[in-house]
C-alpha cells in the first residue's frame, strides 16, 4: 500500500487531489496539512511513500519545505510538486522532486505518476545492475498487435514492443531504462 500525504493551503485543491487518489487501490491517504510546518510534522510522523506538495504555502515555500525535508531522518519519500505555476519546475527537480504535476490535475498524468511510484516501490533495479540472464526469452504475450508494438495497456501508457521490451510512457524527465519482472520474466522498460 502506498502511503500518501498532501500539503496544500488550498483545502478545495487538496480535497480534489485526495478524491482522485482514492480511485487508486494502491493508495492510502495518511493526511492533509494546510501549511508547510504542519506538513513537515505530518511527514515526520507518518513517513509517507509519496508527498504531494504545493509550492506556494503560507508559511514556507514548497522549495524550502523540500530543503528542510531533506534533513529529516532518511527514508524514501517521493515528492511530487503540484502547482498551477510551471516556473518552479527547475527548482523542484534540483531539490530532488520525484515529479511535477500541474493544476488542474490531469487524470492521465496522475495515473502515470502513481504507476512510476508502484514500479519503483516494487524494487525494480536500475538497468546497470541487471545481467543478461534477466533478458526475456519468451516474447509472447496476450496482447493485441499494433504495428511494431503490442498494446498491453495503451490507454494507460504501457506497450510491449515485438522484441519483448516494454515501454512505459510518463511525464517524467527521468528516462532511464528499468527492467520489469512480470511473472518471472524480466523486461526492459524505456
Amino acid at each position: 500500500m502506498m502511503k500518501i500525504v498532501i500539503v496544500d493551503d488550498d483545502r478545495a485543491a487538496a480535497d480534489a487531489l485526495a478524491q482522485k487518489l482514492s480511485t487508486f487501490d494502491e493508495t492510502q491517504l495518511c493526511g492533509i496539512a494546510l501549511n508547510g510546518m504542519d506538513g513537515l510534522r505530518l511527514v515526520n510522523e507518518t513517513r509517507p511513500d509519496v508527498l504531494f506538495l504545493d509550492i506556494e504555502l503560507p508559511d514556507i515555500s514548497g522549495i524550502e519545505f523540500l530543503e528542510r525535508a531533506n534533513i529529516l531522518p532518511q527514508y524514501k519519500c517521493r515528492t511530487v510538486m503540484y502547482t498551477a505555476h510551471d516556473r518552479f519546475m527547475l527548482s523542484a527537480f534540483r531539490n530532488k522532486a520525484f515529479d511535477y504535476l500541474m493544476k488542474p490535475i490531469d487524470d492521465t498524468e496522475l495515473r502515470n505518476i502513481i504507476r512510476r511510484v508502484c514500479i519503483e516501490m516494487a524494487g525494480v533495479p536500475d538497468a546497470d545492475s541487471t545481467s543478461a540472464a534477466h533478458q526475456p526469452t519468451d516474447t509472447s504475450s496476450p496482447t493485441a498487435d499494433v504495428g511494431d508494438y503490442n498494446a498491453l495497456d495503451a490507454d494507460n501508457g504501457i506497450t510491449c514492443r515485438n522484441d519483448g521490451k516494454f515501454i512505459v510512457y510518463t511525464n517524467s524527465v527521468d528516462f532511464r531504462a528499468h527492467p520489469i519482472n512480470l511473472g518471472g520474466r524480466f523486461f526492459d522498460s524505456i
Side-chain angles (χ1 to χ4, degrees):
M1 185 64 65
M2 181 188 310
K3 297 188 316 182
I4 295 177
V5 164
I6 299 171
V7 179
D8 191 342
D9 62 322
D10 180 344
R11 185 63 190 214
D15 288 343
L17 176 58
Q19 176 59 38
K20 288 178 182 286
L21 289 168
S22 72
T23 65
F24 296 95
D25 293 335
E26 306 87 355
T27 65
Q28 172 192 3
L29 182 62
C30 295
I32 297 174
L34 300 176
N35 63 58
M37 297 311 289
D38 288 346
L40 284 168
R41 277 189 291 282
L42 184 60
V43 165
N44 199 33
E45 291 168 6
T46 63
R47 303 179 78 67
D49 300 302
V50 182
L51 167 66
F52 284 88
L53 178 62
D54 187 21
I55 290 198
E56 296 184 314
L57 299 169
D59 51 353
I60 60 174
S61 74
I63 301 302
E64 185 179 348
F65 184 104
L66 277 179
E67 291 168 355
R68 290 182 185 198
N70 284 337
I71 64 170
L72 291 174
Q74 293 301 312
Y75 77 100
K76 182 70 173 181
C77 179
R78 298 143 193 95
T79 301
V80 177
M81 303 300 290
Y82 87 112
T83 182
H85 311 285
D86 63 357
R87 68 180 180 264
F88 302 109
M89 191 176 297
L90 185 58
S91 294
F93 284 116
R94 284 184 176 158
N95 282 284
K96 302 177 184 161
F98 180 78
D99 215 321
Y100 200 91
L101 186 61
M102 296 293 295
K103 293 178 186 177
I105 295 169
D106 178 274
D107 291 343
T108 301
E109 295 297 324
L110 181 60
R111 185 173 46 247
N112 286 339
I113 290 168
I114 297 300
R115 178 180 302 107
R116 283 186 62 229
V117 173
C118 286
I119 289 170
E120 188 171 293
M121 287 179 65
V124 174
D126 288 341
D128 296 337
S129 65
T130 60
S131 68
H134 288 160
Q135 299 306 313
T137 56
D138 177 13
T139 59
S140 63
S141 66
T143 60
D145 187 28
V146 183
D148 290 335
Y149 300 94
N150 293 320
L152 178 67
D153 191 359
D155 291 339
N156 291 317
I158 301 177
T159 57
C160 178
R161 298 184 339 187
N162 286 335
D163 63 1
K165 293 185 178 180
F166 284 82
I167 298 175
V168 178
Y169 297 94
T170 178
N171 66 336
S172 170
V173 296
D174 180 9
F175 292 108
R176 295 178 303 186
H178 294 283
I180 299 175
N181 181 351
L182 296 174
R185 298 180 344 196
F186 284 85
F187 301 92
D188 288 335
S189 67
I190 300 173

